[in-house]
Amino acid sequence: MMLIFVLIIGIVSTSFQKDNLRKEPVITSKTITQVAVVVKDIEKARQAWAQVLGVKVPEVSIAESHFSRPTLYRGDPSDAKAKLAFFSMDNLQIELIEPLGGNSTWQEYLDSHGEGIHHIAFAVRGIDGMEELFDLRGCPTVQRGGWDGGAYSYIDASKDLGCMLELLENY
Amino acid sequence: MMLIFVLIIGIVSTSFQKDNLRKEPVITSKTITQVAVVVKDIEKARQAWAQVLGVKVPEVSIAESHFSRPTLYRGDPSDAKAKLAFFSMDNLQIELIEPLGGNSTWQEYLDSHGEGIHHIAFAVRGIDGMEELFDLRGCPTVQRGGWDGGAYSYIDASKDLGCMLELLENY
């Protein structure tokens, strides 16, 4: 009897805590560092953007799984790769992304929407805790990974906020 | 004979000028002022964004045609209306847009993509000349309008840059 009572108290209090956590602020940083456009052909897109902005055509780099935080796509290991190019504006970067195979949110977006603005990226601290808080709000982490010196997580906040967010943490 | 010669010279030189203009920089400003999310229900979305960011729920304002620069949608007068809400980040605004009827790029986006990031907005000077330069690149103005003290134009740069841009000019 006592055990059942303790169990019930436990369940109610956990659910109460979760409910409170669900209403907590998640992103305390107010700095948006990137807006990213998924494209089919980064060669063509980086030339066009450079011409429109009157700037040098940026280098292309490759995003791929890194041992520091291996790429996961919907919880499973993924060999997702992409070509990236960055344009530095006064106050943030415009990022171009061309998916190069492997299961990824980039390819998924391209398949279902065509080219377009994939996400808004926030500079954050404590990326793992944030994933949990978003999850409690019904916003799952669709893809996560890292590089030498940093970590990223894509949060599908479409149900809640109407779009995809990226959390970016530089260690 | 002379007339034909002058005409040919004229056509060749205009086409040459157009070709040069096509390669000219269009946006010299490097300041992105807004990233906009089109949503179905701005009441729900502004509450959720405010909760996630830990900030006050912003007011809702109405965008509609203004005598200073009446709203045009694909060249025709439009009574497009939308509810807007703005979140001030450190370096730009997140704008939420709920279309309220009338022909608009907002409703078009919602119908074909569902909720999502509709555009990136640049602060510019000389919005009308920019429309022409974008048009030469195959990027038409899909919607334009104004308000007391400013003007906006949505450039469908999806063919060229992979997304929609907004030009914003404060007079």
Side-chain angles (χ1 to χ4, degrees):
Chain A
M1 186 63 190
M2 191 62 186
L3 187 66
I4 291 171
F5 182 72
V6 168
L7 263 174
I8 288 171
I9 291 289
I11 288 166
V12 167
S13 107
T14 308
S15 136
F16 186 72
Q17 277 172 5
K18 278 200 175 171
D19 214 52
N20 275 349
L21 278 174
R22 220 172 274 137
K23 291 170 193 159
E24 281 291 297
V26 187
I27 302 179
T28 47
S29 151
K30 299 288 168 288
T31 305
I32 291 176
T33 55
Q34 293 169 347
V35 181
V37 183
V38 165
V39 296
K40 284 180 198 160
D41 180 352
I42 205 167
E43 291 309 317
K44 190 176 142 275
R46 69 181 176 136
Q47 299 282 346
W49 272 97
Q51 216 172 57
V52 164
L53 296 171
V55 299
K56 236 184 91 195
V57 179
E59 303 270 301
V60 168
S61 57
I62 302 287
E64 57 191 330
S65 198
H66 190 267
F67 69 90
S68 65
R69 197 171 186 253
T71 304
L72 297 181
Y73 174 74
R74 300 194 181 279
D76 292 322
S78 167
D79 53 359
K81 273 176 126 182
K83 284 187 183 173
L84 309 178
F86 297 93
F87 290 90
S88 291
M89 302 289 101
D90 288 343
N91 51 338
L92 79 167
Q93 289 180 316
I94 294 173
E95 179 182 16
L96 304 182
I97 305 174
E98 180 194 327
L100 284 184
N103 289 329
S104 73
T105 174
W106 312 309
Q107 188 63 52
E108 196 177 60
Y109 185 90
L110 205 51
D111 291 344
S112 60
H113 294 263
E115 295 185 326
I117 309 170
H118 176 265
H119 69 262
I120 303 170
F122 286 83
V124 303
R125 293 266 160 237
I127 195 165
D128 295 332
M130 283 182 184
E131 283 185 341
E132 283 174 47
L133 287 175
F134 269 117
D135 209 47
L136 285 172
R137 298 186 62 92
C139 303
T141 300
V142 285
Q143 186 175 324
R144 72 200 306 262
W147 67 92
D148 200 8
Y152 75 84
S153 292
Y154 289 109
I155 308 294
D156 182 0
S158 50
K159 209 194 99 215
D160 208 23
L161 308 178
C163 68
M164 184 77 77
L165 300 184
E166 186 180 24
L167 309 177
L168 271 178
E169 183 163 10
N170 285 289
Y171 296 138
Chain B
M1 187 64 194
M2 192 58 187
L3 186 67
I4 292 170
F5 182 73
V6 169
L7 264 175
I8 290 172
I9 291 291
I11 290 165
V12 168
S13 108
T14 309
S15 134
F16 186 72
Q17 277 172 7
K18 278 200 175 171
D19 214 52
N20 274 350
L21 278 175
R22 219 172 275 138
K23 291 169 193 158
E24 281 290 298
V26 187
I27 302 180
T28 47
S29 152
K30 298 289 168 288
T31 305
I32 291 175
T33 54
Q34 294 169 347
V35 181
V37 183
V38 165
V39 297
K40 283 180 199 159
D41 179 353
I42 205 165
E43 291 309 317
K44 191 176 142 273
R46 68 181 179 139
Q47 300 282 346
W49 271 98
Q51 214 171 58
V52 165
L53 296 171
V55 298
K56 236 184 89 193
V57 179
E59 303 271 300
V60 169
S61 56
I62 302 287
E64 57 190 329
S65 198
H66 190 267
F67 69 90
S68 65
R69 198 172 183 251
T71 304
L72 296 181
Y73 174 74
R74 301 195 183 276
D76 293 321
S78 167
D79 53 357
K81 273 176 126 182
K83 283 186 184 174
L84 309 178
F86 298 92
F87 290 89
S88 291
M89 303 289 100
D90 288 343
N91 52 340
L92 81 167
Q93 289 179 316
I94 294 172
E95 179 183 15
L96 305 181
I97 303 173
E98 180 193 329
L100 283 185
N103 289 329
S104 73
T105 175
W106 312 310
Q107 188 63 51
E108 195 177 62
Y109 185 91
L110 205 51
D111 292 343
S112 60
H113 294 262
E115 294 186 325
I117 309 171
H118 176 265
H119 69 262
I120 304 169
F122 286 83
V124 303
R125 293 265 160 237
I127 195 167
D128 295 331
M130 283 182 184
E131 284 186 342
E132 282 175 47
L133 287 175
F134 269 118
D135 209 47
L136 285 172
R137 298 186 63 93
C139 303
T141 301
V142 284
Q143 185 175 325
R144 73 202 303 264
W147 66 93
D148 201 8
Y152 75 83
S153 292
Y154 289 110
I155 308 293
D156 182 359
S158 51
K159 210 194 99 214
D160 208 24
L161 308 178
C163 68
M164 185 77 76
L165 300 183
E166 185 180 24
L167 310 177
L168 269 179
E169 183 164 8
N170 285 290
Y171 296 139

